[in-house]
Amino acid sequence: MNNQPESDKLSNPFSKPEKSVSFSIGLIVAGVGMLALLLYYFSDQSEVATVKQSEQSEEHQEAGAKAEKARRKELIAYLQQHPDDEFAHFQLGQLIQDRAPFQALENYSHVTSLHPRYYEAVEAIAEIAMEQDLPDKAKPALMILVRKYPQESRFHEQLARLFFNAGKNDRALKYANRSIELGANQAAHYMLVANILRQAGRTSEMVGPLKEVLFLEPDLYEAHLNLAYAALYTGDLTTAEREANWCLEQRPDSSTALRYLAMIDRNQGKVDAALSHIEQALQADPHDFESLLLKADLLIYQRAGQQAYDLLKPFYAARQTDRRFISALARAAGLIGNREEALQLQKINQSLIKEDDLKPTSLQSESVEKNQSSQEK
């Protein structure tokens, strides 16, 4: 009797698990496929929604532009019939300020103090006038705003910049300092004060505001370069050299920083080093007249009169009202024996000195301006 089981009746121990695995894989594949379809569907729907939103936005903008254009035409037509209607002028000014600032300026100028939004119109006038470089229109508008809003720092700052550009340094400094007192505590505000002081020739006073600038913005190149200048002209050569070298590290081709280093060398009696630095400055900027003038001064110091004369003479026609240039050319002419020319240049220099002495200072100009204003009233 055969006790061994028949082969076709033997059970395969792995048959059932294989079916299970195959079934699971099928479910996963189906799930991934369904997920992909869902993602594609919703992504597609999102894109469709975005396109619709974009189209709606464009349509809305077009509709708004058409409505605005129609409103402009309506106001223009109305003002042709009613040119004194300040309400219509104000509305038209608002509509066209960005695209037609000069016309908007004209419209805003028709708005009187009786209008409930008068000061908005005045501010718009100041803004447009400043942007379009119309100081004669910006100044009276800003003066009105400063009187109306004495605690608003930005109006003081704008007036300061206006007077600074006009060379009225005392008034510019007054408004710049006031803007800082009212809370304008940014590097640009202290930088404005420093620039006003520099223009006014009050070099030693520049150091304080420049340190404030560097406290707020330690890497501001303009502040470091101005501090080098202030330190140089107040005799602090250590600070001047440190700041000039810092500037040169940031911008190796800075003719101004190289010129400052040349001046420091000259003040320390290092004439050869000064000439080396000034040659580098002229290589960086051959048209830097300040560097040319300093080179001539160094050549005169070395008794190289002919070289200095040849360097300066070509600039006579363009620089004959520049006292420093005339003085340097006179000295160079004297060194090479051109006595008559040197004497003539000295006379020109003397007349230029007298002219400068007769010019009113910015403080005198302010007083004259106040007197004229009171007379007009």
Side-chain angles (χ1 to χ4, degrees):
M1 186 175 177
N2 189 358
N3 294 322
Q4 291 183 355
E6 295 178 3
S7 60
D8 60 345
K9 293 181 178 179
L10 292 175
S11 61
N12 189 343
F14 300 104
S15 60
K16 290 184 178 179
E18 283 180 1
K19 290 181 180 179
S20 177
V21 169
S22 300
F23 181 71
S24 300
I25 292 172
L27 283 175
I28 292 171
V29 171
V32 170
M34 182 62 69
L35 181 61
L37 286 171
L38 288 170
L39 287 173
Y40 175 77
Y41 173 79
F42 286 113
S43 174
D44 186 56
Q45 292 298 312
S46 176
E47 289 179 5
V48 170
T50 301
V51 170
K52 286 183 177 179
Q53 287 178 356
S54 177
E55 291 175 351
Q56 289 174 354
S57 177
E58 289 177 3
E59 290 175 0
H60 181 71
Q61 288 176 358
E62 289 178 6
K66 288 180 181 178
E68 183 179 319
K69 186 176 181 180
R71 181 59 177 157
R72 287 201 309 271
K73 288 183 177 180
E74 181 185 346
L75 285 168
I76 291 170
Y78 175 81
L79 283 168
Q80 288 176 348
Q81 301 297 321
H82 306 86
D84 297 327
D85 191 325
E86 58 187 288
F87 287 84
H89 277 294
F90 181 83
Q91 292 176 37
L92 184 57
Q94 284 188 307
L95 285 174
I96 66 173
Q97 183 171 338
D98 293 334
R99 60 167 49 88
F102 289 100
Q103 181 56 51
L105 193 65
E106 172 64 22
N107 291 120
Y108 283 128
S109 67
H110 287 274
V111 179
T112 71
S113 57
L114 298 175
H115 195 285
R117 300 175 69 179
Y118 168 68
Y119 292 104
E120 289 183 46
V122 174
E123 186 174 352
I125 289 172
E127 181 182 342
I128 296 170
M130 292 286 282
E131 289 175 353
Q132 303 301 327
D133 193 22
L134 300 170
D136 291 340
K137 290 189 178 296
K139 178 188 167 185
L142 287 170
M143 293 300 291
I144 290 171
L145 293 169
V146 163
R147 286 193 292 268
K148 175 63 178 178
Y149 307 107
Q151 302 303 312
E152 188 64 57
S153 64
R154 61 195 173 101
F155 297 137
H156 289 272
E157 182 198 354
Q158 289 169 358
L159 264 178
R161 294 188 184 279
L162 197 66
F163 285 121
F164 171 61
N165 292 334
K168 298 179 179 179
N169 301 311
D170 294 283
R171 300 194 75 180
L173 191 61
K174 167 189 169 184
Y175 286 108
N177 283 328
R178 183 58 180 154
S179 73
I180 292 173
E181 291 172 5
L182 292 170
N185 191 33
Q186 296 180 6
H189 302 125
Y190 289 103
M191 198 69 238
L192 175 60
V193 172
N195 286 332
I196 295 168
L197 290 168
R198 177 169 181 165
Q199 184 171 270
R202 295 162 63 173
T203 312
S204 61
E205 298 175 55
M206 292 172 61
V207 176
L210 286 172
K211 286 183 176 179
E212 293 287 349
V213 174
L214 291 173
F215 175 77
L216 295 165
E217 290 192 32
D219 295 328
L220 187 62
Y221 181 87
E222 184 187 0
H224 283 282
L225 193 62
N226 273 274
L227 185 55
Y229 168 85
L232 174 61
Y233 282 92
T234 53
D236 185 358
L237 299 185
T238 301
T239 299
E241 186 172 13
R242 183 193 70 226
E243 295 299 320
N245 279 320
W246 185 93
C247 292
L248 208 56
E249 287 175 4
Q250 311 304 311
R251 301 182 187 178
D253 60 346
S254 171
S255 61
T256 304
L258 286 163
R259 176 162 33 89
Y260 288 168
L261 287 172
M263 295 172 75
I264 293 165
D265 291 331
R266 180 195 62 182
N267 292 352
Q268 293 175 335
K270 303 173 184 177
V271 179
D272 291 335
L275 278 168
S276 175
H277 275 127
I278 209 63
E279 288 294 351
Q280 292 178 57
L282 287 169
Q283 286 177 9
D285 184 3
H287 303 292
D288 181 7
F289 185 75
E290 292 296 327
S291 294
L292 286 167
L293 202 58
L294 179 56
K295 182 179 179 180
D297 184 63
L298 292 167
L299 290 170
I300 291 170
Y301 181 83
Q302 290 188 320
R303 312 295 293 177
Q306 190 64 54
Q307 287 179 261
Y309 183 84
D310 292 342
L311 181 67
L312 294 172
K313 187 63 176 179
F315 296 94
Y316 177 76
R319 295 281 176 173
Q320 54 187 306
T321 58
D322 186 326
R323 282 172 49 190
R324 295 178 305 148
F325 170 79
I326 294 297
S327 177
L329 186 59
R331 285 182 288 138
L335 275 178
I336 62 175
N338 292 355
R339 294 184 178 179
E340 290 186 8
E341 183 179 4
L343 286 171
Q344 182 63 30
L345 289 167
Q346 287 173 4
K347 289 180 180 178
I348 294 172
N349 191 40
Q350 288 297 320
S351 66
L352 290 173
I353 291 172
K354 289 179 180 178
E355 285 179 13
D356 283 346
D357 288 342
L358 291 173
K359 289 178 182 177
T361 64
S362 58
L363 185 60
Q364 290 172 334
S365 299
E366 182 180 349
S367 300
V368 169
E369 186 177 308
K370 285 181 178 178
N371 290 335
Q372 290 176 343
S373 178
S374 60
Q375 288 173 3
E376 289 172 1
K377 290 179 181 179

